[in-house]
Amino acid sequence: MMGHRASTRACLAAGLLAAASLATVALAETPAAPPPGTAHPELWPAYTYPVPVRADHEKMIADLIARMTIEEKVGQLVQADLCCVTPEDVRKYKLGSILVGGNSGPNGNDLSPAPDWLKAADDFYLASVDRSDGGVGVPVIWGTDAVHGHSNIIGATLFPHNIGLGAMRDPALIEKIGAVTAKEIRVTGQEWTFAPTVAVPQDFRWGRAYEGYSSNPDLVASYVGAMVRGLQGPPTGDNLLAGPYVIASTKHFLADGGTDSGVDQGDSSVSEEQLRDIHGKPYGPAIAEGVATVMVSFSSWQGVKMTGNHSLVTGVLKDRMDFGGFVVSDWNAHGQVAGCTNEACPQALMAGVDMYMAPDTWKPIWNDLLARAKSGAIPMARIDEGVARILRVKARLGLFTAGKPSDRPWSGQYELLGAPEHRAVAREAVRKSLVLLKNQGVLPLAPGKRLLVAGDGADDIARQSGGWTLSWQGTGLNNSQFPGATSIWGGLKAAVEAGGGSAVLSPDGSFTDKPDAAVVVFGETPYAEFQGDRAALLLDPELTGPFATMKKLKAQGIPVVAVMITGRPLYVNPALNAADAFVVAWLPGSEGGGVADVLVGDSSGKPRFDFAGKLPADWPRAAQIADGVLFPFGYGLDYKSPAAAYTALPELDAAASGADARVWFNAGTPAARWSLWVAGTGDEVETRVTTLPAEALGGRARVTAENFKVQEGARRFAITGGTASVQLGKFETIDVSRETNGDVMVLVTLRVWDAPDAARIGVRGPGTDGFAAVSLPETPGYVRYGIPLKCLRGKGADVAKLDRPFVLETQGKADYAIAEVRLGSDAEQVLPCR
């Protein structure tokens, strides 16, 4: 086994020497003082990859590589997203892999029913093995973000997100979760999940923090092997598709959870020792279990993007750690490597990336790699090494002999999606993940009495499931899209009524008959990746309304239990003060009944299940964790904890502690350091709107206030004619290239009384702009429109330098109001890119 890997490395070394003429990708002589971002592999722990190297597989791989054309080899190195590829593309370009991004799905519908997914899997597979043109026909492999269950599929079991699993401290249950997830993936024909995330979040302002099990590297490391084993089976296993398995991908290598200030895709300036001991620790157990793939991070270390860091990807991961699977990049992450674009990046391949995740840029990447391979600019030895790694994983999977997806075991057994035995595993995980921070004697709830359930999160399965749920951001969904699932309200109602009591759902806390107790469910709304980055550990102001509900109920003599839905610890002192008991439910997923299992007692008043969860990270005393810890890592009460007197916590002016950078205009005012302008054409003076009412453009435009959610929460623009534009500007330029790489839109909430003759929405920067023509019909109320940032980039905007990131221009007479402008993906109506 080791001899084979040594020869592979020798080939790689030869290939790198052959590429010495490429200054951007060649290895330089080792300097006396290595530049920042250069790792020292000898300082890292050495492991042994346990997956046996089979002689018959190696012979097959060598034979295939000998017969493959350059085009076929390059195709194996490229992965395309379902949004932007067809089976015919796979057949023509010999692509090695496809993926389904968060907003993709068969037939252009991310809410496609399960049978459509299996049919699509068949179509792509059959295209890949078509040998009618004389090719070798390597089967394609399909990757999916099944990060908390098979979460793209309607009806699948949704487990708590990783931070909740970290609270339960149960590796054995983690393995069961992996096994259930693998089996449900197999139902719809996929073979590869981009999980588990083994990040060790150090700053919970990071928008992906809930994807990490804990801030503690030992806790994370204790889970990784179990999850990989549940997904893949034992590391010595072969022909995984004959069993209920898929291949796994540990991600994101390395320090995605250690970026400065918790900025997604940002830079980590930690020392190499911290990089190794905190963020590198979970990779040991992953390799010990034979994880098949590793995904490299968007982020950088000491200024060098991971996707282009040879010292880490090849030196540490492949050589020192003996990782024997293949390395895949993240979504167009190669485009962020110095000297690269989304369309061309040989540096990533030379750094050690074997497969480019090039979702919507796969064709230019394919063409660029092919040209460089034919010219000799990229050594064939490196290409062959990458192809061999991919083929080796496919052989281990059993892909060459498994047949089309619908012919494989478990395929099409749709009754396994959300099967009762699977939901039971998820419900157990919910029970064990709950963390009790306060209990002044109100818990457990007596089942035979009257219960009031309040709060805006009580009956919302999508909200309790968080991001990466049916769609990328997990927004724009309703309970009907979760057949068989149970909301927190549904679970509480069933438990109370089973004990002879009654339950009433009243989001605002109002009631007719005074209840014996109230549960108020509140917390975060769904987000994913950088859309969840925060400046401070705070709830958005509009999500704090339930605090007043708790205070009102308590003032009426009603015991109050607060249940918080959240992907991270946050400052919520007002809720902790107002409630008699406080439970952190994290993001529990589809089995909300697990919350009631612990909160509602039996007929004798005793608990049915005790609290078992412990905090997976410190809980903040204020809006920044640097300002102090309220509850430390590992804290968590249970029903045996002695009663203690409660001392009220200080309540801070949270509004001054940080703002959401995604919101540019809300409640009638621009965000801090932003301005609202009305502009015309030619020599007309543009007017900055600061007070109301206001006139602009020589009286052609009048600005007044309208109510929206709050008094004067919108701004109304009455324009008598001509060209006029409303613009949001910033004192310095902003960079939204990261958001443009994802499926993010500029969202504007509008009401139109008098439709303009013509309109367009766009962005402007120094010397550049991008506009799309839009239709703005009269509307009886407010509509949240979305225009994709990709559209505006395609219209010519330099999205890295915008000083007017929102412009709405009209022609002719118009009358409309703007209530909100922000970045997001939850448009009620997506405007076409015209």
Side-chain angles (χ1 to χ4, degrees):
M1 179 172 67
M2 294 302 293
H4 164 73
R5 293 205 178 88
S7 66
T8 299
R9 292 173 193 140
C11 291
L12 174 59
L16 289 174
L17 289 173
S21 60
L22 275 180
T24 56
V25 297
L27 289 173
E29 294 182 6
T30 304
T38 303
H40 301 78
E42 70 276 7
L43 301 179
W44 292 68
Y47 304 113
T48 299
Y49 195 61
V51 178
V53 176
R54 287 182 42 168
D56 56 336
H57 286 176
E58 293 306 303
K59 183 179 183 302
M60 178 188 69
I61 291 166
D63 177 66
L64 283 171
I65 290 177
R67 292 190 292 121
M68 291 171 79
T69 64
I70 296 179
E71 288 82 358
E72 286 176 306
K73 291 178 180 180
V74 168
Q76 288 302 301
L77 306 179
V78 178
Q79 182 184 58
D81 184 70
L82 200 60
C83 72
C84 310
V85 70
T86 66
E88 179 55 34
D89 290 328
V90 169
R91 178 184 292 108
K92 179 179 179 180
Y93 292 91
K94 315 300 181 184
L95 299 181
S97 178
I98 62 169
L99 79 149
V100 54
N103 286 335
S104 299
N107 310 312
N109 178 17
D110 59 346
L111 299 178
S112 284
D116 288 3
W117 291 76
L118 183 55
K119 182 182 184 303
D122 273 355
D123 292 344
F124 281 101
Y125 171 85
L126 292 172
S128 70
V129 298
D130 183 351
R131 299 181 178 90
S132 61
D133 60 357
V136 298
V138 176
V140 72
I141 188 171
W142 183 335
T144 183
D145 282 291
V147 295
H148 66 131
H150 195 17
S151 50
N152 279 301
I153 306 298
I154 290 176
T157 308
L158 300 178
F159 295 93
H161 268 294
N162 283 357
I163 191 169
L165 301 182
M168 70 183 190
R169 310 296 208 271
D170 192 336
L173 189 52
I174 289 289
E175 184 171 349
K176 291 181 182 179
I177 290 170
V180 168
T181 301
K183 190 174 289 186
E184 294 201 10
I185 291 172
R186 292 289 303 279
V187 169
T188 57
Q190 288 70 52
E191 310 99 346
W192 179 14
T193 175
F194 302 134
T197 301
V198 300
V200 189
Q202 300 299 290
D203 190 325
F204 280 79
R205 292 176 293 181
W206 182 39
R208 305 191 76 158
Y210 64 78
E211 295 186 55
Y213 295 114
S214 172
S215 62
N216 182 286
D218 293 322
L219 176 53
V220 177
S222 74
Y223 273 16
V224 175
M227 180 59 81
V228 171
R229 191 164 55 250
L231 291 166
Q232 296 188 165
T236 55
D238 193 51
N239 193 15
L240 304 188
L241 291 177
Y245 302 122
V246 296
I247 57 170
S249 184
T250 45
K251 64 182 186 182
H252 306 85
F253 189 87
L254 191 62
D256 51 339
T259 58
D260 301 342
S261 301
V263 174
D264 190 45
Q265 304 181 18
D267 183 58
S268 176
S269 59
V270 300
S271 68
E272 186 170 1
E273 290 74 17
Q274 291 170 306
L275 186 72
R276 176 194 66 200
D277 297 342
I278 298 174
H279 305 286
K281 192 161 193 173
Y283 286 87
I287 289 171
E289 289 296 334
V291 68
T293 71
V294 170
M295 185 183 294
V296 181
S297 181
F298 273 110
S299 60
S300 57
W301 174 56
Q302 296 185 355
V304 179
K305 283 291 179 179
M306 292 289 175
T307 308
N309 194 318
H310 181 274
S311 70
L312 283 167
V313 178
T314 295
V316 171
L317 178 63
K318 287 185 169 180
D319 293 346
R320 182 68 172 176
M321 292 184 171
D322 195 41
F323 171 60
F326 71 82
V327 175
V328 62
S329 62
D330 207 339
W331 183 283
N332 278 338
H334 57 270
Q336 298 185 9
V337 175
C340 291
T341 65
N342 283 0
E343 294 73 28
C345 189
Q347 293 92 323
L349 183 69
M350 300 310 298
V353 170
D354 302 305
M355 182 181 285
Y356 287 75
M357 185 185 289
D360 52 357
T361 58
W362 62 268
K363 192 176 292 185
I365 280 290
W366 188 93
N367 284 321
D368 181 75
L369 289 173
L370 180 64
R372 294 176 190 272
K374 286 184 173 180
S375 72
I378 295 177
M380 191 55 63
R382 173 66 190 105
I383 291 174
D384 285 351
E385 192 241 350
V387 172
R389 283 177 173 268
I390 293 166
L391 297 182
R392 196 168 290 121
V393 169
K394 289 184 175 183
R396 175 188 174 193
L397 186 59
L399 198 62
F400 291 97
T401 57
K404 69 179 186 292
S406 63
D407 288 342
R408 302 170 191 167
W410 294 280
S411 290
Q413 296 184 30
Y414 303 116
E415 68 278 6
L416 292 177
L417 296 172
E421 62 271 23
H422 295 176
R423 293 188 183 278
V425 174
R427 187 164 178 162
E428 180 183 357
V430 174
R431 287 196 298 266
K432 291 183 174 179
S433 68
L434 302 178
V435 177
L436 180 64
L437 297 182
K438 177 184 180 182
N439 184 18
Q440 298 298 105
V442 64
L443 291 176
L445 297 168
K449 296 188 177 181
R450 289 190 300 271
L451 180 68
L452 174 71
V453 180
D456 51 12
D459 193 28
D460 192 333
I461 297 168
R463 184 166 174 182
Q464 72 190 40
S465 298
W468 300 108
T469 300
L470 300 187
S471 67
W472 177 35
Q473 296 292 318
T475 55
L477 303 169
N478 59 67
N479 286 357
S480 70
Q481 291 155 332
F482 298 90
T486 305
S487 68
I488 293 174
W489 148 249
L492 289 168
K493 180 177 185 290
V496 170
E497 291 181 349
S502 61
V504 173
L505 177 65
S506 174
D508 65 359
S510 60
F511 56 83
T512 302
D513 298 322
K514 185 176 180 180
D516 297 299
V519 174
V520 181
V521 185
F522 76 103
E524 292 191 299
T525 51
Y527 54 84
E529 297 193 63
F530 46 79
Q531 287 293 91
D533 282 3
R534 306 293 303 178
L537 297 172
L538 295 168
L539 286 172
D540 290 333
E542 63 267 25
L543 299 177
T544 61
F547 296 176
T549 301
M550 295 179 208
K551 292 176 181 177
K552 178 182 67 176
L553 291 168
K554 191 170 181 179
Q556 293 171 297
I558 300 166
V560 174
V561 178
V563 174
M564 184 177 181
I565 298 170
T566 184
R568 52 189 151 198
L570 295 173
Y571 163 81
V572 285
N573 287 10
L576 281 159
N577 285 339
D580 298 286
F582 193 102
V583 177
V584 185
W586 308 109
L587 298 169
S590 62
E591 305 313 301
V595 176
D597 288 345
V598 184
L599 267 61
V600 180
D602 61 19
S603 58
S604 66
K606 294 181 179 179
R608 294 183 295 156
F609 295 92
D610 204 349
F611 284 94
K614 306 296 179 184
L615 287 179
D618 292 338
W619 194 277
R621 179 178 295 276
Q624 304 290 347
I625 198 68
D627 293 332
V629 173
L630 181 60
F631 301 110
F633 167 85
Y635 183 87
L637 304 174
D638 57 28
Y639 283 127
K640 298 180 290 293
S641 299
Y646 181 78
T647 301
L649 299 168
E651 298 187 16
L652 311 176
D653 180 9
S657 301
D660 184 352
R662 298 165 297 177
V663 179
W664 299 346
F665 182 85
N666 186 45
T669 59
R673 296 183 59 79
W674 289 67
S675 297
L676 177 65
W677 300 86
V678 176
T681 59
D683 296 330
E684 286 185 301
V685 176
E686 62 180 12
T687 300
R688 182 183 178 196
V689 179
T690 56
T691 58
L692 296 180
E695 287 194 351
L697 308 180
R700 284 199 297 118
R702 179 173 173 81
V703 188
T704 56
E706 284 286 323
N707 295 335
F708 176 77
K709 292 187 177 179
V710 297
Q711 188 173 358
E712 299 190 355
R715 293 294 176 261
R716 184 170 181 173
F717 303 88
I719 299 159
T720 59
T723 299
S725 65
V726 174
Q727 307 180 12
L728 283 169
K730 201 160 185 345
F731 295 125
E732 65 275 352
T733 61
I734 67 168
D735 180 356
V736 294
S737 54
R738 179 183 65 167
E739 287 79 1
T740 307
N741 192 36
D743 295 322
V744 177
M745 294 179 276
V746 176
L747 301 173
V748 53
T749 302
L750 286 169
R751 180 177 179 182
V752 179
W753 286 272
D754 191 348
D757 297 335
R760 62 179 189 159
I761 290 177
V763 294
R764 285 193 171 125
T768 179
D769 62 30
F771 279 88
V774 298
S775 176
L776 296 179
E778 295 179 14
T779 54
Y782 285 88
V783 177
R784 185 167 60 252
Y785 296 101
I787 187 80
L789 282 169
K790 287 181 179 179
C791 165
L792 302 178
R793 179 182 62 188
K795 298 296 183 183
D798 181 356
V799 292
K801 295 179 180 178
L802 299 176
D803 54 15
R804 296 288 170 98
F806 173 77
V807 180
L808 171 55
E809 183 181 280
T810 58
Q811 300 287 338
K813 186 182 179 184
D815 188 2
Y816 61 89
I818 298 177
E820 183 182 56
V821 180
R822 62 180 172 88
L823 294 178
S825 61
D826 54 331
E828 294 172 332
Q829 182 176 331
V830 178
L831 298 169
C833 187
R834 292 195 294 251

